[in-house]
Amino acid sequence: MNSVTVQSSSHDYEVLIGKGLRRNLGEVISTGYTSILVITDSTVQDYYLQDVQESLSEAAPVFSAVVPAGESSKSMGRYEELLDRCVELKLDRKSLIIALGGGMIGDLAGFVASTYLRGIDYIQMPTTILAHDSSVGGKVAINHPKGKNLIGSFYHPVKVIYDMETIETLPESEIRSGYGEVMKHAFLSDAKWAHRLLKGKLSELSVDQLESDLMRGIQVKASIVEKDEREAGIRKYLNLGHTLAHAIEAELGYGEITHGEAVAVGLLLMMKLSNDLKGAELPLQDYKEWLERNNYPISVLNRIRPEQMVEKMKLDKKTVRQKINFVLLHELSDPYVVEIEENQLVEHMSLLMDEVSGE
């Protein structure tokens, strides 16, 4: 088992990574909770809920709440239903919520924990590659129909428990999704790591390589979050690729493509803007070939209109005074934030769409 300690202003917490951890939760979770509520989704329920409940059966009364799988469950309606469940079970301030699932469950269950009784403990138990990013850092949220994660708070878990066995059941789309964020972390931190990833094929990943990439990604996220917990400065760099990604998700409808796939497409625009507008020499062609080799849905660019994307970007929570801020790279591992004019965004998105479609 490997571990990383994340330091936050409220408390430090461990990220544990290993195989079979879900069956030994009694050994890694503090005792003394009056009750435990496991929040999961309809897909993860069938695979792992029973294991988690059984491993905690001697710690405290264990209950569950299940929402439909998919990003559409990160809604005000599901949030209200889960609060009703907390009240029904008479959870108190010594109760624990466990978020068992991918990034959607982590965000939703974490937001419930942050607001019920003004905040109770929760633990992240990610079951996807993508959630190596979202489970660390203390951002919890639900979506608004007009934009992703517009309703949320900063609220850190008391622990993150990452059972590597849970990713063995992931479909190909979820592996792609997870590596969209892995690639982001590599672009932000280490050119050699990024170039190694660009040469690879996701279908040929070994378990050891996957665990190594996830650990490195968590370390990158943790090191940035510790220096800037509430996104006043360098934490904004973690939004690399996300400005377009969130706009795509909002435009197409949440769940049409995975979040990490949208981020991967967003990184493509980031590289083009960095190169064309700011004179960087990022490996845009190598990255485009990596996306194609690993079946990322870059054709989604042909389904959107640049003008509509710009309007969606204005609703992004990182936008200030209707000015769209982008995280770009001077070079791999050297990020910065810059405001980009609307007409430039429209022009370069149009050029990128032409390149993708081969026109």
Side-chain angles (χ1 to χ4, degrees), residues 64-269:
S64 65
V66 181
V67 301
E71 186 74 10
S72 60
S73 281
K74 254 176 67 173
S75 67
M76 187 66 77
R78 297 299 178 193
Y79 167 65
E80 186 175 0
E81 290 173 7
L82 290 172
L83 288 177
D84 289 343
R85 180 69 168 148
C86 292
V87 174
E88 172 195 339
L89 295 172
K90 298 181 173 61
L91 299 191
D92 59 30
R93 286 182 170 169
K94 293 295 184 181
S95 296
L96 172 71
I97 286 176
I98 294 179
L100 176 67
M104 179 276 287
I105 286 292
D107 280 356
L108 175 61
F111 189 52
V112 170
S114 75
T115 50
Y116 180 70
L117 299 180
R118 295 193 176 95
I120 64 174
D121 284 359
Y122 82 108
I123 287 174
Q124 292 273 16
M125 285 195 65
T127 60
T128 65
I129 299 171
L130 180 67
H132 85 280
D133 178 77
S134 57
S135 64
V136 175
K139 281 187 176 181
V140 294
I142 55 177
N143 297 329
H144 186 277
K146 295 291 187 180
K148 188 177 176 72
N149 296 335
L150 292 183
I151 306 163
S153 58
F154 292 92
Y155 195 71
H156 291 275
V158 295
K159 197 178 291 287
V160 179
I161 301 172
Y162 207 138
D163 185 345
M164 289 294 295
E165 289 181 359
T166 62
I167 64 176
E168 294 176 359
T169 56
L170 291 179
E172 182 181 346
S173 62
E174 286 297 331
I175 296 173
R176 284 196 300 269
S177 185
Y179 265 79
E181 292 282 6
V182 169
M183 188 64 79
K184 178 198 78 175
H185 288 137
F187 282 174
L188 285 172
S189 65
D190 189 330
K192 288 184 179 179
W193 182 22
H195 284 296
R196 178 182 64 74
L197 291 174
L198 287 173
K199 295 176 182 176
K201 191 171 183 179
L202 298 183
S203 61
E204 298 173 357
L205 279 172
S206 68
V207 175
D208 288 344
Q209 189 62 66
L210 177 55
E211 186 167 348
S212 173
D213 287 339
L214 295 186
M215 178 61 77
R216 291 184 72 170
I218 289 169
Q219 289 169 333
V220 170
K221 178 77 175 277
S223 67
I224 291 176
V225 168
E226 288 171 355
K227 296 171 185 173
D228 179 19
E229 192 170 331
R230 292 190 171 251
E231 205 170 280
I234 65 170
R235 184 165 180 165
K236 294 176 182 177
Y237 296 160
L238 292 169
N239 295 315
L240 192 76
H242 283 62
T243 305
L244 177 59
H246 288 166
I248 290 173
E249 290 179 278
E251 179 68 16
L252 296 183
Y254 298 118
E256 179 70 17
I257 65 173
T258 67
H259 173 64
E261 288 174 328
V263 169
V265 175
L267 290 172
L268 192 62
L269 177 62

Side-chain angles (χ1 to χ4, degrees), residues 260-294:
E261 288 174 328
V263 169
V265 175
L267 290 172
L268 192 62
L269 177 62
M270 175 279 297
M271 295 180 84
K272 184 166 183 62
L273 292 172
S274 297
N275 287 354
D276 293 356
L277 294 181
K278 302 299 179 180
E281 297 181 354
L282 303 178
L284 178 61
Q285 185 58 34
D286 289 346
Y287 181 61
K288 183 171 177 285
E289 291 173 1
W290 180 80
L291 293 175
E292 293 170 342
R293 185 164 66 250
N294 290 291

Side-chain angles (χ1 to χ4, degrees), residues 294-320:
N294 290 291
N295 301 313
Y296 280 86
I298 57 177
S299 61
V300 72
L301 289 170
N302 298 319
R303 297 169 54 189
I304 59 177
R305 294 211 305 267
E307 294 82 3
Q308 288 178 319
M309 288 295 96
V310 169
E311 291 305 311
K312 293 288 184 184
M313 289 177 195
K314 288 181 181 179
L315 292 171
D316 190 276
K317 60 187 181 300
K318 297 177 290 298
T319 297
V320 178

Side-chain angles (χ1 to χ4, degrees), residues 49-68:
L49 179 57
Q50 184 175 345
D51 288 343
V52 170
Q53 288 177 310
E54 289 179 354
S55 70
L56 292 169
S57 60
E58 297 182 5
V62 183
F63 307 98
S64 65
V66 181
V67 301

